[in-house]
Every structure is written in structure tokens, then in C-alpha cells.
């Protein structure tokens, strides 16, 4: 049996109320040479059973492959499994509360084939209203998160210095789901998530791919789901500790990883710039955007921050923890005034 042209992969966790729309947006594509693989990460809301029943015919025919993790692996561990078990020439990641426009795969496949692209990168997408409700009449906001969106399909320079500048300036800045990847490119370069989020992943495919094509054509709808992980404003002390610990682990990872990459071997001065960019973005996304310090510094928050720093610095972690809390509290106060 011939392999499909595109593997659409959906990591799913507790998305029973959104997953039907997500799946239907794939099944309704004008381009039908695809496989759809859904991997459930031990959902507790009946998502797996819902898909199993609702799409029984498509599962039976093999159009949909529904699988389930034996233990919770998190978003990135689940996505890595999906990348490895896909069989298509190209890979398309889709979040389980988002949608594809019906010409998405047709457009992405045609561009990838024309340019022999390792990556087709969408610079624009549609954003839902904050309530996450999407109906045929819902106004969707065209959005771009990057500095250099294009007005026409454009192959970007393969010069490593240009690519690095794209990363540093936010010229190419979007999560993984706004791309189509050549599967062999991902597998041969071992481009899997290491647990540090989409932004860190951007730099590795951006600096590794031979051919990257940007397209202004909108093909993706991002749902502002109020209960999604990125929109959850309820910060618990455990989340605070985990977030800060993640920054320490990212620091150790980058210290080992970056010097092995060809560009950084030739330009060691750029290592610190790359690290600073990653730290600032992940700090903003996980700490500032979440409003962790929006209500000033509570005793519980202080203790959580101290716990995280002392885990890595011992008793010497008290002063850095103090500086961290003060800096973010001041930033929150400034944000309220602007």
C-alpha cells in the first residue's frame, strides 16, 4: 500500500468538546491523500471514547488511526511519538482544539512539491474570539506573530547568518503547527521536542533546513480556548516551581546543544545571543504572560520561587530568588500602568 502524501497528526488531551470540529476540518479537506493519526495522552474527560464512537467508520476504514498512550507523556512526548509513527512524505501537526481551512493541505503540499521544501512556513493564521467559540458566523482575526511576514510565497535565504537573524529578531516566529515539514527532514536530523516548547524548536528547524518557504496564505485557525494550557491564568505554586526549574533545565540543555551545531561552532559569539533570546521569550510566555506576579508577591509565591532556586543553587539560591521575585513584581506593576 502506497504511503500517503501527508500525515496529519493530532496529540489529544481532554479535548472532548473541541475534537469533533478539529477532526472534521481534516476530513473535509479538498486534498484527500492523507492519513490522520490521533494519539490520546491519557485523557480523563472521555475524549478517546468519544472519538472512537463518533468516528468509528473512518477508524474502521483506516482513514483515521486512533491510538492511546499507556501513560501520560505530555504534549511534546506525544507529538514525538506521532512524528515517528507517521508514514506520509510530509508532516502536518494540528492542535486538538484548532482547525484547518479546507484548502490547507492542498496549498501546503503544492508549495512543498514546487520548491522541494523541507519546511513550508505559514506567516499568518486566523485567531478565534477569546471565548473560543467558532461558528460559521464567528469573526476570525487574521494574525501574525512575526516581524517579517511575507506578501507572496517566498523562499528564504539559506545563509546561516540570515537564518540566525530571523530567529533573533522574530523574523520567523511561530509555533510548530503553522508549518508543513518533510518527514525525512525531521527524522534524519533528529528534530524532536526536548520538552522546552515550540519556540526553542523553531531555531533548530530554521537553522537546519536546506529549503524553507514562507507563505502568506492563511490555512490555520487557532482557537483561543479559555481552558487551554496557554490560556490558563490560574498559577499554582507547583506550576511556579516547574516553570523556573524549566528555565534551569533549558540553560543546561542549550549549553550542551548549541556548541554542537555547525553555525555556532563557526560563530561561538552567537551562542549567548541565542540563549538570551530563548530565555527572554520563554520567560515572557511562562511567567509574564501568565500573570504569575500580577497580584504582587504572596508568601506562597515567595516560597515556591525559593524552592525552585534552592533546588539548583542550594542555600545560595535565596538571593537570586529574591531578585527574581522583585524584578517580576516591578514588571507587573509597570504593566498595570501602561
Amino acid at each position: 500500500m502506497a504511503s500517503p502524501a501527508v500525515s496529519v497528526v493530532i496529540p489529544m488531551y481532554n479535548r472532548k468538546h473541541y475534537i469533533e470540529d478539529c477532526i472534521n476540518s481534516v476530513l473535509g479537506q479538498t486534498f484527500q491523500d492523507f492519513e490522520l493519526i490521533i494519539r490520546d495522552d491519557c485523557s480523563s474527560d472521555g475524549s478517546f471514547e468519544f472519538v472512537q464512537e463518533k468516528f468509528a467508520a473512518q477508524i474502521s476504514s483506516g482513514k483515521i488511526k486512533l491510538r492511546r498512550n499507556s501513560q501520560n507523556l505530555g504534549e511534546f512526548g506525544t507529538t514525538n511519538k506521532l512524528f515517528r509513527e507517521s508514514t506520509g512524505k510530509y508532516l502536518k501537526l494540528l492542535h486538538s482544539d484548532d482547525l484547518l481551512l479546507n484548502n490547507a493541505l492542498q496549498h501546503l503540499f503544492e508549495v512543498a512539491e514546487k520548491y522541494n521544501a523541507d519546511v513550508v512556513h505559514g506567516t499568518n493564521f486566523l485567531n478565534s474570539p477569546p471565548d473560543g467559540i467558532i461558528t460559521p458566523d464567528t469573526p476570525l482575526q487574521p494574525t501574525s506573530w512575526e516581524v517579517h511576514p511575507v506578501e507572496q510565497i517566498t523562499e528564504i535565504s539559506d545563509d546561516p547568518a540570515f537564518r540566525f537573524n530571523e530567529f533573533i529578531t522574530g523574523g520567523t516566529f511561530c509555533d510548530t503547527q503553522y508549518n508543513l515539514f518533510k518527514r525525512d527532514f525531521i527524522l534524519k536530523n533528529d528534530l524532536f521536542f526536548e520538552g522546552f516548547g515550540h519556540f526553542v524548536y523553531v531555531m533548530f528547524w530554521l537553522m537546519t533546513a536546506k529549503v524553507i518557504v514562507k507563505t502568506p496564505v492563511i490555512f490555520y485557525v487557532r482557537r483561543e480556548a479559555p481552558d487551554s494550557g496557554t490560556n490558563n491564568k490560574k498559577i499554582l505554586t507547583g506550576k511556579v516551581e516547574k516553570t523556573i526549574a524549566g528555565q534551569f533545565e533549558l540553560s543546561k540543555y542549550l549549553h550542551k546543544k548549541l556548541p554542537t551545531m555547525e553555525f555556532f561552532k563557526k560563530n561561538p559569539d552567537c551562542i549567548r545571543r541565542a540563549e538570551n533570546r530563548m530565555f527572554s521569550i520563554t520567560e515572557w510566555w511562562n511567567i509574564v504572560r501568565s500573570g504569575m506576579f500580577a497580584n504582587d508577591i504572596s508568601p506562597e509565591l515567595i516560597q515556591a520561587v525559593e524552592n525552585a532556586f534552592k533546588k539548583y543553587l542550594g542555600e545560595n539560591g535565596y538571593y537570586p530568588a529574591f531578585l527574581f521575585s522583585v524584578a517580576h513584581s516591578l514588571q507587573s506593576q509597570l504593566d498595570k500602568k501602561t
Side-chain angles (χ1 to χ4, degrees):
M1 184 176 178
S3 297
V6 180
S7 295
V8 180
V9 298
I10 302 176
M12 178 175 68
Y13 179 72
N14 286 353
R15 278 294 175 263
K16 182 179 178 181
H17 46 309
Y18 296 129
I19 190 63
E20 183 177 0
D21 287 348
C22 177
I23 293 173
N24 282 333
S25 79
V26 180
L27 296 178
Q29 289 292 302
T30 57
F31 182 88
Q32 285 288 307
D33 188 8
F34 67 84
E35 65 175 353
L36 174 56
I37 311 175
I38 303 166
R39 181 165 281 280
D40 181 72
D41 192 27
C42 302
S43 291
S44 58
D45 70 342
S47 292
F48 180 86
E49 292 78 11
F50 174 79
V51 174
Q52 193 174 44
E53 180 179 349
K54 186 71 179 182
F55 296 95
Q58 291 86 349
I59 294 170
S60 178
S61 70
K63 191 65 174 179
I64 295 177
K65 299 177 177 69
L66 178 63
R67 292 159 184 172
R68 194 175 207 174
N69 293 339
S70 58
Q71 60 183 7
N72 185 271
L73 299 177
E75 175 190 350
F76 301 122
T78 303
T79 301
N80 287 341
K81 286 183 72 72
L82 286 163
F83 280 4
R84 289 188 173 97
E85 64 195 357
S86 62
T87 64
K89 182 176 180 179
Y90 298 100
L91 277 170
K92 179 74 197 78
L93 174 66
L94 175 61
H95 284 179
S96 55
D97 47 13
D98 294 341
L99 308 169
L100 294 179
L101 297 182
N102 66 359
N103 65 335
L105 297 185
Q106 185 79 50
H107 173 69
L108 292 169
F109 177 78
E110 289 176 355
V111 173
E113 289 288 286
K114 179 179 179 179
Y115 289 88
N116 191 26
D118 294 314
V119 185
V120 180
H121 173 67
T123 63
N124 307 288
F125 59 93
L126 295 176
N127 223 25
S128 81
D131 61 11
I133 296 173
I134 299 176
T135 70
D137 299 323
T138 299
L140 300 173
Q141 182 65 40
T143 306
S144 180
W145 284 345
E146 56 193 66
V147 176
H148 304 147
V150 295
E151 295 183 357
Q152 60 186 14
I153 296 171
T154 304
E155 182 178 348
I156 71 171
S157 171
D158 61 357
D159 175 35
F162 175 89
R163 297 276 187 87
F164 182 69
N165 189 62
E166 281 283 288
F167 173 73
I168 290 296
T169 64
T172 299
F173 176 48
C174 259
D175 290 345
T176 310
Q177 65 268 28
Y178 306 111
N179 304 312
L180 181 78
F181 295 101
K182 189 177 289 183
R183 181 174 178 270
D184 282 351
F185 162 68
I186 296 293
L187 298 183
K188 289 179 180 178
N189 291 285
D190 199 29
L191 288 173
F192 297 98
F193 287 97
E194 299 290 343
F196 300 112
H198 292 271
F199 179 70
V200 176
Y201 193 70
V202 167
M203 193 197 73
F204 293 117
W205 63 254
L206 184 60
M207 298 300 295
T208 305
K210 292 181 178 178
V211 180
I212 299 175
V213 178
K214 287 188 175 185
T215 175
V217 174
I218 294 175
F219 55 83
Y220 198 96
V221 180
R222 176 181 179 270
R223 189 190 299 268
E224 283 276 1
D227 59 342
S228 73
T230 53
N231 285 328
N232 189 352
K233 306 296 184 183
K234 185 178 180 181
I235 302 298
L236 305 175
T237 56
K239 177 64 181 290
V240 175
E241 292 185 43
K242 183 178 179 181
T243 297
I244 296 172
Q247 293 292 77
F248 275 100
E249 294 299 328
L250 174 60
S251 177
K252 293 194 292 185
Y253 171 73
L254 295 176
H255 185 70
K256 292 180 179 179
K257 177 72 173 180
L258 295 183
T260 68
M261 298 178 67
E262 197 63 33
F263 174 76
F264 295 109
K265 288 179 182 178
K266 296 178 180 178
N267 302 275
D269 56 307
C270 290
I271 291 178
R272 183 55 58 87
R273 294 178 63 200
E275 290 175 334
N276 289 347
R277 175 68 173 159
M278 290 191 192
F279 293 149
S280 64
I281 292 297
T282 52
E283 183 94 351
W284 179 86
W285 187 266
N286 292 320
I287 297 174
V288 178
R289 182 182 184 274
S290 68
M292 192 179 291
F293 287 84
N295 297 315
D296 210 352
I297 310 176
S298 67
E300 294 80 11
L301 185 56
I302 290 174
Q303 189 60 59
V305 172
E306 286 184 12
N307 290 343
F309 275 85
K310 287 180 179 180
K311 176 182 176 181
Y312 290 88
L313 303 177
E315 291 304 312
N316 294 326
Y318 173 78
Y319 187 56
F322 165 75
L323 294 177
F324 177 93
S325 295
V326 169
H328 280 291
S329 180
L330 290 173
Q331 182 62 54
S332 291
Q333 292 176 33
L334 288 173
D335 290 343
K336 289 178 182 179
K337 294 178 181 179
T338 57

